[in-house]
Amino acid sequence: MNCCGLLTAQKEPVPLKSIEVELEVRDHVATVVSTLTYENKEDKPVEAVFVFPLPGDAAVCHFSAKIGQTQIVAEVKEKQQAREEYDDALSSGQQAFLLEESEQSPDIFTLSVGSLPPGESASIRLEYVTELAVQADDGLRFCLPAVLNPRYQPQGSGGSEGASVQVTSVPASLVPYSLSFSARVSSPRPVSKVESNCSLDPLQHLNTEQTQATVKLAAGHKFDRDVELLIYYKDAHQPTAVVEAGQTTAKTGTLMGDPVVMLSLYPEFPQSVMSSVASCGEFVFLLDRSGSMDCPTDDSMQEATRICSARDTLLLLLKSLPMGCYFNIYSFGDTYEHIFPKSVEYCEKTLEEAVKKVEEMAADLGGTEILESLKHIYSQPCIPNQPRQLFVFTDGEVFNTKEVINLVKKNSGSHRCFSFGIGEGASSALINGLAKEGGGHAQFITGTDRMQPKVMQSLRFALQPAVEDISVTWDLPKGVSVTVLSPPITAVFQGQRSLLYAQLTGQSSEASEGSVMVKYSLAGHPSQSQLHFSLKPAEDTGLTVHRLGARTLIRSLEMEEKDDEAPQDEGVKERVVELSVQSGVSSSYTAFIVVNKGNGEPIEGPLVRRNIPTSMLGGMMYSLCDIMVFDDSSTCEDFQYCEPMWRNKVDDDSCLSDASEEYTRISSDEACLGNVEAPTIKKPPRDPLLQLVSLQKASGYWLLDPALAAALGKTSEEVDKTKPPAVNQEMWATVLALIWLYSFKMDAKEEWELLAMKAVSWLRAQNAPCVAECVEAGKALLGCEVQKDFLGL
């Protein structure tokens, strides 16, 4: 059966046929052009509604529709005005198209295709620009979202709009439309490689310098998962500046009429400061335990669940914390829980208690009430001389995104926030917003990604000394002034990019160069970083920098307007609307509207509303009766589908907790849609690395016991009889663990390096004269070769 999740009573297909995406990457900025083709195969006019995700920081800057040979470009208008024009067009029998951003989360858009006549086709062209985030391995991450999971709306959170945004989901294997995807990459530096979670055709370099390249998605790809590209340049961390000329038709003195500069800064910290790891801090871990965390991290359903991966990662984090710090672990769902009433000092007793509680954690707390747990954390007084570091793990399926981000922003002076989006469909607006407003760093874990190395990279950032007293000073020639569009820089990390947008007004006949100086204090020492740039506009940049600058300013104003405690400025919304209309960039207060007046003749026949399905993973989101929008005359009985074994509504994912840990059940919807057998996940054996990590004590040593011997692949007898006589058991066990890590797990060094440093520090503190003999005996036992100096001893 060719079922797609949304059918008429006569099982007629939805009108979305295909999606074609062209990506152009210039250094660390991407322009994305998507073409969506619709065809109405019904015998009556159709209104198709497609709710879909975009990157949270994307600036939608073009929307047009092609009906037959007629191309109509949309206008940006105040949202209510655009909605009224759309409704008026439909009521008068005209074709209309409406694109709007959600007021609650900037990564959700609704596209309404109105009055598509029987047999008619329409192509929608959507263009947006976005910055590419720098990953821990220096790759630039681009994500084309395909998966829009239902967003949990907490009770009492308001947001009436959310009730009207209905996400129609189908199993990933049954997505009815295909994707064509191609990318062109160019940079001043050579493009070394491009990787993806989807199959790609080979990378094609376009010049001998290898600074330009193209790549395509392999043919036949179903748009059933987020498409992620990781782009790697040689010598990536180089400060850059791009000055873009203003729009010739725009008035001088306005944002679009003046030049705009985009600065990419990479401050370098002194090695003497970076070589020392902080031994203090309050580390607060906040774990999502909502029902959707029981989903597998990979849509093949052969990997561990999100909650299992998060538990393993928490274990690694706990073992890597330095002695002398403080910590606590919170988890949330419908309610929130904490292991300790308040943060406690890190020692063997508190570590053992925390590890035991973490191992018992399951995705059994229902919905996704992250806001209340954050409020409780922020209500706790900070510990003197222990900088607070907050780590948030979530699959990002919340509705009140802006409210959550605004709370983090209000408390940004008291902590740094590091966020981790787990699984397909995690809200990029939430994950990036938490880190940006909390002065931390964001990571995404999708597909077969291992969570541990990404999280440990963030822990290294958290252990870096906090950069304080950040200031930005501009040096421009006489006659040129600057208006900064970006919010103030609140966090600087070694090797991580800071972006600044600024409007340049006026001209100078004296000089053609400007500079910007970033000053800050690092571990009590003043430091600075300077970048010189030419005021001459670059060629062939279009208006990309202007649009990203406008989007940055719009986001800042929207956050200011959403601040419930700040004095409300009646002019903020008007300013956002003005900026949005002037720049042609989307906002939560505006919408893109297209009306095709055609020959003026109305389209006849009753209008039928159809929701276009988006992909879901795991086949566990809705029963078909939950998601369909029927004709007035249709009833649920018209569809002849079975009652599901469990149901999940848009506003509550708590029922997912009823699913067994091994996924031995499947909704009867899927069974009816192809008689598929229920997938089963067998619990994987414990990773030897994690087994070894779990045995380490808080101060860094290991005990000599059968569990350690088993983790090393040896028997207790083999380990005992090869111990040098002058060596105590803890030293012998610790040296063996280090040799095993350096010999057999070098590919995962970023995961265990911090806890290995603790072990080495403990060994040094023993002042034992027999370390060399111990290392030689350990090498012989484990059958490997590693130098003593390599262990840091």
Side-chain angles (χ1 to χ4, degrees):
M1 295 172 61
N2 183 25
C3 296
C4 55
L6 180 66
L7 309 173
T8 66
Q10 291 74 36
K11 297 184 173 58
E12 294 162 309
V14 295
L16 180 60
K17 290 180 61 180
S18 65
I19 301 176
E20 179 182 347
V21 176
E22 296 176 350
L23 168 68
E24 182 172 356
V25 177
R26 293 188 176 183
D27 208 5
H28 53 261
V29 171
T31 301
V32 187
V33 178
S34 299
T35 304
L36 299 87
T37 303
Y38 295 82
E39 182 179 359
N40 182 11
K41 294 186 177 181
E42 301 189 31
D43 58 1
K44 59 182 76 69
V46 164
E47 178 188 18
V49 180
F50 186 28
V51 180
F52 61 97
L54 286 180
D57 57 356
V60 177
C61 52
H62 176 89
F63 177 57
S64 61
K66 185 177 182 180
I67 304 98
Q69 299 302 313
T70 304
Q71 183 86 17
I72 312 168
V73 178
E75 295 180 75
V76 180
K77 297 188 177 182
E78 191 275 328
K79 183 174 284 187
Q80 188 56 40
Q81 179 186 351
R83 287 174 175 172
E84 290 173 0
E85 288 188 18
Y86 177 80
D87 291 339
D88 290 345
L90 297 194
S91 62
S92 62
Q94 295 175 324
Q95 291 176 329
F97 303 83
L98 181 70
L99 179 70
E100 8 178 13
E101 175 187 316
S102 167
E103 292 178 6
Q104 296 299 324
S105 186
D107 62 343
I108 299 177
F109 282 76
T110 302
L111 171 62
S112 301
V113 180
S115 290
L116 194 60
E120 184 74 86
S121 294
S123 291
I124 306 301
R125 189 175 187 271
L126 175 70
E127 181 178 337
Y128 64 87
V129 291
T130 186
E131 302 161 359
L132 301 185
V134 182
Q135 299 302 286
D137 62 356
D138 297 339
L140 293 175
R141 179 181 185 266
F142 168 77
C143 181
L144 181 69
V147 180
L148 176 54
N149 293 326
R151 300 290 173 82
Y152 179 86
Q153 181 173 351
Q155 292 185 356
S157 65
S160 59
E161 180 206 18
S164 64
V165 177
Q166 186 172 19
V167 181
T168 305
S169 298
V170 295
S173 60
L174 299 177
V175 171
Y177 38 84
S178 60
L179 170 69
S180 169
F181 179 89
S182 62
R184 181 186 178 99
V185 182
S186 60
S187 171
R189 298 168 294 281
V191 182
S192 56
K193 62 179 178 178
V194 177
E195 297 178 347
S196 178
N197 62 330
C198 304
S199 297
L200 297 175
D201 290 342
L203 182 70
Q204 301 287 330
H205 286 100
L206 302 179
N207 56 6
T208 55
E209 296 83 8
Q210 297 190 344
T211 57
Q212 297 182 13
T214 60
V215 68
K216 291 183 179 180
L217 206 60
H221 176 78
K222 281 284 187 182
F223 201 13
D224 57 357
R225 71 189 71 179
D226 292 351
V227 177
E228 183 181 66
L229 286 188
L230 293 173
I231 302 164
Y232 296 86
Y233 301 130
K234 293 181 181 178
D235 303 320
H237 292 329
Q238 299 295 323
T240 58
V242 176
V243 177
E244 184 178 80
Q247 198 171 17
T248 55
T249 56
K251 184 180 178 182
T252 302
T254 64
L255 173 59
M256 299 306 290
D258 285 343
V260 171
V261 60
M262 177 177 64
L263 302 177
S264 179
L265 306 173
Y266 289 92
E268 290 293 328
F269 297 168
Q271 185 59 38
S272 59
V273 177
M274 295 310 300
S275 60
S276 63
V277 176
S279 59
C280 63
E282 180 195 7
F283 296 87
V284 180
F285 305 106
L286 179 58
L287 177 63
D288 188 342
R289 286 173 57 190
S290 61
S292 54
M293 286 290 287
D294 222 1
C295 292
T297 56
D298 180 24
D299 65 345
S300 68
M301 301 191 74
Q302 297 303 310
E303 298 293 323
T305 60
R306 298 171 185 174
I307 192 69
C308 290
S309 184
R311 282 198 306 258
D312 289 344
T313 302
L314 265 180
L315 170 67
L316 195 61
L317 280 167
L318 290 172
K319 296 290 183 174
S320 301
L321 292 179
M323 294 294 288
C325 73
Y326 286 73
F327 78 104
N328 203 354
I329 300 173
Y330 288 75
S331 54
F332 66 91
D334 286 332
T335 59
Y336 62 88
E337 299 177 358
H338 43 70
I339 292 182
F340 305 107
K342 62 179 182 179
S343 293
V344 295
E345 187 173 357
Y346 182 78
C347 63
E348 192 58 48
K349 180 182 177 182
T350 55
L351 174 62
E352 286 185 2
E353 184 176 350
V355 168
K356 183 178 179 181
K357 293 287 183 63
V358 167
E359 290 176 346
E360 296 171 352
M361 287 182 174
D364 56 1
L365 291 186
T368 314
E369 297 274 5
I370 187 173
L371 191 66
E372 294 305 314
S373 60
L374 285 171
K375 286 180 179 178
H376 181 81
I377 290 170
Y378 293 139
S379 72
Q380 303 297 303
C382 291
I383 302 171
N385 301 316
Q386 301 286 347
R388 179 174 286 173
Q389 318 281 355
L390 175 62
F391 286 67
V392 180
F393 301 85
T394 178
D395 54 16
E397 298 176 11
V398 297
F399 175 75
N400 55 338
T401 299
K402 290 186 178 179
E403 193 176 0
V404 172
I405 293 173
N406 202 45
L407 178 64
V408 173
K409 180 182 179 181
K410 279 190 254 184
N411 292 275
S412 59
S414 66
H415 77 304
R416 290 191 289 189
C417 181
F418 300 85
S419 54
F420 307 90
I422 306 171
E424 304 280 359
S427 168
S428 62
L430 176 69
I431 304 305
N432 288 327
L434 288 174
K436 185 174 182 180
E437 299 300 339
H441 188 255
Q443 300 270 22
F444 289 86
I445 299 99
T446 59
T448 57
D449 286 351
R450 279 178 61 80
M451 188 185 301
Q452 289 84 352
K454 294 190 174 186
V455 174
M456 296 309 295
Q457 173 66 54
S458 292
L459 179 58
R460 288 185 184 87
F461 286 152
L463 291 171
Q464 288 181 16
V467 175
E468 300 174 328
D469 303 325
I470 303 173
S471 65
V472 178
T473 305
W474 296 79
D475 185 9
L476 297 171
K478 186 178 180 180
V480 179
S481 61
V482 62
T483 302
V484 179
L485 307 175
S486 303
I489 297 176
T490 57
V492 178
F493 295 106
Q494 171 73 10
Q496 287 297 297
R497 182 187 66 202
S498 296
L499 279 176
L500 277 178
Y501 296 93
Q503 177 183 344
L504 302 175
T505 304
Q507 292 182 336
S508 173
S509 57
E510 300 177 3
S512 60
E513 187 178 84
S515 70
V516 63
M517 176 84 74
V518 181
K519 296 182 179 180
Y520 49 89
S521 175
L522 180 65
H525 301 288
S527 299
Q528 63 185 35
S529 179
Q530 188 173 25
L531 174 63
H532 294 270
F533 59 92
S534 170
L535 294 176
K536 182 181 179 181
E539 297 180 358
D540 300 329
T541 57
L543 291 171
T544 301
V545 174
H546 280 75
R547 287 162 175 164
L548 287 171
R551 186 58 161 160
T552 299
L553 183 54
I554 286 170
R555 281 279 181 263
S556 298
L557 290 169
E558 286 175 336
M559 291 297 294
E560 178 183 332
E561 202 273 339
K562 290 289 183 182
D563 190 342
D564 295 331
E565 296 182 6
Q568 294 300 299
D569 183 353
E570 292 296 327
V572 171
K573 180 177 178 180
E574 287 73 13
R575 173 70 171 140
V576 170
V577 172
E578 179 187 2
L579 269 172
S580 179
V581 172
Q582 180 193 135
S583 63
V585 167
S586 58
S587 77
S588 60
Y589 300 122
T590 53
F592 287 86
I593 176 71
V594 174
V595 177
N596 179 26
K597 297 181 172 59
N599 57 12
E601 295 181 2
I603 299 169
E604 298 181 355
L607 184 64
V608 181
R609 185 182 177 96
R610 299 280 178 257
N611 280 17
I612 310 301
T614 57
S615 170
M616 71 170 188
L617 298 181
M620 290 175 51
M621 294 301 179
Y622 300 97
S623 78
L624 289 172
C625 293
D626 287 334
I627 63 173
M628 292 185 183
V629 180
F630 305 109
D631 299 346
D632 292 339
S633 59
S634 301
T635 65
C636 190
E637 286 73 20
D638 291 331
F639 290 82
Q640 304 299 315
Y641 287 110
C642 308
E643 184 68 12
M645 295 180 187
W646 66 74
R647 300 164 70 87
N648 181 33
K649 299 293 185 182
V650 172
D651 59 348
D652 186 4
D653 61 358
S654 60
C655 60
L656 289 182
S657 62
D658 295 333
S660 70
E661 189 174 33
E662 295 186 351
Y663 289 88
T664 55
R665 303 171 70 192
I666 186 170
S667 73
S668 56
D669 298 336
E670 282 199 71
C672 288
L673 291 175
N675 299 317
V676 295
E677 295 182 1
T680 301
I681 293 181
K682 295 182 179 179
K683 206 167 186 177
R686 188 74 178 267
D687 184 339
L689 173 59
L690 291 174
Q691 180 65 23
L692 185 77
V693 167
S694 69
L695 299 172
Q696 189 186 32
K697 298 301 180 180
S699 56
Y701 70 91
W702 276 265
L703 291 175
L704 192 66
D705 59 19
L708 176 66
L712 299 174
K714 300 295 179 180
T715 65
S716 294
E717 183 180 6
E718 289 175 313
V719 172
D720 289 337
K721 72 180 183 180
T722 53
K723 180 180 76 68
V727 177
N728 66 42
Q729 290 189 345
E730 287 79 10
M731 178 176 286
W732 175 233
T734 304
V735 169
L736 285 177
L738 285 171
I739 292 174
W740 186 87
L741 289 172
Y742 275 96
S743 299
F744 302 111
K745 289 296 177 181
M746 282 299 291
D747 59 334
K749 185 179 179 183
E750 66 270 28
E751 299 181 33
W752 52 260
E753 189 172 24
L754 290 176
L755 61 88
M757 289 170 61
K758 272 206 305 185
V760 169
S761 296
W762 180 86
L763 283 170
R764 285 175 176 162
Q766 307 311 302
N767 291 320
C770 49
V771 173
E773 180 187 0
C774 198
V775 170
E776 292 303 318
K779 287 158 51 178
L781 172 64
L782 298 178
C784 56
E785 187 61 41
V786 59
Q787 298 300 317
K788 184 180 73 169
D789 291 344
F790 195 45
L791 296 175
L793 300 175

